[in-house]
Structure formats: structure tokens, C-alpha cells
Amino acid sequence: MNAEQLQAIIAAGLDCTHLTVEGDGRHWSAVVVSEVFAGMRPIARHQRVYATLGQKMHTDEVHALSMKTYTPAEWAAQAN
């Protein structure tokens, strides 16, 4: 799996206003910005992203994914 494939999977399962994915084929990092995260605690946000990956997390196609998750307002605020 490459970064573009992983990004496409996340984008297909989650309406993102910004999404970047980087990694080496097994270990990944992502920045995910979505209005869906409004009112969610960080762990729930991560679980929502993991849900988009389904079995890929369990079959080791994606060995590790670290992520930063933001609402659009949080993303705009942290950019300043």
C-alpha cells in the first residue's frame, strides 16, 4: 500500500476538508480535518478514522497509523 491508496481509503469513508498521509508502507502518519469530529473526544476521532480502514488494520496492511485530527475551525486556529 502507498500513501495515495491509504489517503483514498480514508477519504472514501470520511468527509475531509484536509487530509495528508505520509509513511513508509507500514508506518503512517496522517493529518485529518473533518467536520465529523465536532464534539468528539480525541480517542473517538481516531476510532472514526480507524473504522474507515476496516480490516486493513487487522490484517497488518497498515501496521501503525499515528494521526492528528482536527475540526475545520481547530485546523484554521492552529495554522495561526
Side-chain angles (χ1 to χ4, degrees), residues 15-35:
D15 185 23
C16 301
T17 58
H18 177 84
L19 174 60
T20 59
V21 176
E22 298 177 342
D24 64 8
R26 285 184 40 100
H27 300 91
W28 302 96
S29 62
V31 175
V32 186
V33 181
S34 178
E35 191 61 48

Side-chain angles (χ1 to χ4, degrees), residues 46-65:
H46 289 202
Q47 290 169 335
R48 181 68 177 85
V49 175
Y50 288 139
T52 69
L53 300 173
Q55 288 294 61
K56 292 180 181 2
M57 291 298 295
H58 301 289
T59 61
D60 210 32
E61 285 182 75
V62 178
H63 177 72
L65 174 63

